[in-house]
Amino acid sequence: MPRTPAIEISSKPVSSVGLIGQAAPLAFLERSIKTGRLVHAYLFTGPAHVGKMTVARAVAVRLLGDGVPLERHPDFLVVEPGRDAKTGKLHNEIVLDQVHALRGWLSRGAFHSGWKVVIIDGADLLNKEAANALLKNLEEPKDQTLLLLLAASADDVAPTIRSRCQTVAFGLVPAVEIRARLIADGLPEERAGLYARLAAGRPGLARIYASDPAAFAEMSELRSRLLEIPELPVADRWLVLDGLVPDKLPFNEAAAQASAALDLLAELMRDALLAAFGRPEEAVHADVADRTAAWAGRLGRDRIASVLQEIIAAKKAIAANAGIRGVLGVVALAF
């Protein structure tokens, strides 16, 4: 894999400011910079809110210098799904025109340090034409150009893209580490402990709950509706799930909303499974552990495991553009 040439850059290490956990990826990238072993493209993989973007931006600052904020730096670019110019609706993929614009930007010389840094936020969202167009830059990279691609899983990224990047895995962060940082940031211990557990290893999510009461209230409201499901008749279960996706919502937004709801439902089911195995202290949603323990008694281990499998299948079906309401109907029946 091609390496970027060693040049003189700031000796200031990659910053960990704002980052919780992820010491290993950070140390690896810092070592690669210091030893001149930085390659031209990295694929950062891991769940949302674990720190991929924070580290990517820190690496950009390390190479570009901190004299100009990244948002205004002429040698820094973020590529992500855009919005339709006419309707304002969010696209569910990164399209060919965006990659053409990126390639044009890369073809021009750098303004400041000599480096140009690109973050592609959603490498798994590159459509086929966009991915093919990007290959040229990955196969024949320009000197002092770094591409940082972000995705939840390497398996979701086109093999032709994945094989031309060095993968850096970002794992979940222990709750005790998230809690300690939230307390250090001034959050009361009880709230810090609650948000750290609810984040389920994703420090960025804990920080969202800590800084945005509306986000925490929205999650709590959704959770309350989901907690009712096992106690309802089949038709009412479907009504609850169907009501999570408003009518006339664009498909990609509806898919994202349904997928997020299924993620939360899966967390609650895993908590119920832990209770069924006598390990309720490991529950993520400890503040409603009595409800998930009741699920365990009502459904039993086998049924809970079966529902979890249906939720996983439902998420895959939605990602493959299956009809959302039909998929949610199958989940309702699984209980």
Side-chain angles (χ1 to χ4, degrees):
M1 185 174 293
R3 291 178 182 165
T4 57
I7 63 170
E8 184 177 347
I9 57 178
S10 169
S11 60
K12 189 176 180 180
V14 178
S15 173
S16 61
V17 173
L19 186 67
I20 302 176
Q22 309 306 349
L26 202 67
F28 166 73
L29 292 161
E30 173 61 25
R31 187 166 58 250
S32 298
I33 293 171
K34 282 186 174 180
T35 60
R37 299 177 66 86
L38 197 69
V39 301
H40 69 290
Y42 291 89
L43 174 59
F44 290 0
T45 63
H49 305 301
V50 293
K52 301 188 300 294
M53 177 61 81
T54 302
V55 170
R57 290 175 62 87
V59 170
V61 171
R62 173 77 157 89
L63 297 179
L64 300 175
D66 56 7
V68 180
L70 285 182
E71 284 72 20
R72 300 202 303 270
H73 204 295
D75 299 323
F76 175 75
L77 186 67
V78 175
V79 178
E80 58 189 355
R83 291 187 178 274
D84 186 276
K86 294 182 179 179
T87 65
K89 294 178 181 178
L90 186 69
H91 293 301
N92 60 358
E93 58 187 10
I94 295 173
V95 298
L96 181 60
D97 286 348
Q98 291 177 274
V99 175
H100 279 166
L102 165 62
R103 295 190 63 193
W105 182 83
L106 288 171
S107 69
R108 298 188 290 271
F111 284 87
H112 286 278
S113 68
W115 282 88
K116 301 196 85 168
V117 180
V118 178
I119 297 175
I120 299 180
D121 189 9
D124 51 329
L125 301 179
L126 288 159
N127 67 21
K128 185 176 180 179
E129 294 79 10
N132 288 338
L134 184 64
L135 283 180
K136 185 74 171 177
N137 295 93
L138 294 176
E139 292 169 342
E140 300 176 12
K142 291 176 65 68
D143 290 346
Q144 299 175 23
T145 295
L146 180 64
L147 278 72
L148 301 172
L149 288 71
L150 280 52
S153 169
D155 293 338
D156 297 333
V157 179
T160 51
I161 298 293
R162 184 174 68 234
S163 64
R164 290 163 174 80
C165 302
Q166 183 167 347
T167 300
V168 180
F170 286 67
L172 298 174
V173 178
V176 63
E177 195 170 342
I178 300 174
R179 177 181 178 275
R181 179 62 70 86
L182 293 178
I183 291 172
D185 289 345
L187 202 65
E189 290 188 12
E190 184 176 351
R191 286 173 58 202
L194 174 61
Y195 296 157
R197 294 191 74 158
L198 291 174
R202 298 159 293 177
L205 185 56
R207 280 211 159 116
I208 289 173
Y209 290 154
S211 63
D212 185 0
F216 178 73
E218 184 178 343
M219 183 280 297
S220 299
E221 162 80 19
L222 174 58
R223 187 177 63 177
S224 294
R225 294 167 70 185
L226 294 176
L227 283 167
E228 298 173 357
I229 288 177
E231 303 168 6
L232 299 173
V234 173
D236 291 337
R237 290 180 215 149
W238 186 85
L239 287 174
V240 170
L241 289 170
D242 182 63
L244 302 178
V245 184
D247 292 333
K248 299 182 180 180
L249 203 63
F251 179 84
N252 58 313
E253 294 182 26
Q257 202 160 312
S259 184
L262 289 173
D263 282 338
L264 181 54
L265 182 58
E267 287 181 3
L268 293 168
M269 295 305 298
R270 284 193 289 268
D271 283 356
L273 197 58
L274 286 168
F277 279 96
R279 295 157 55 188
E281 70 281 355
E282 298 178 28
V284 168
H285 295 266
D287 54 325
V288 292
D290 57 331
R291 301 288 299 278
T292 51
W295 283 14
R298 175 185 292 270
L299 300 173
R301 299 176 186 177
D302 291 344
R303 175 58 58 188
I304 293 171
S306 176
V307 173
L308 274 171
Q309 290 301 315
E310 290 292 352
I311 292 172
I312 293 169
K315 280 183 59 69
K316 290 180 178 178
I318 290 173
N321 297 328
I324 295 172
R325 285 181 165 77
V327 169
L328 294 177
V330 173
V331 174
L333 289 171
F335 284 87

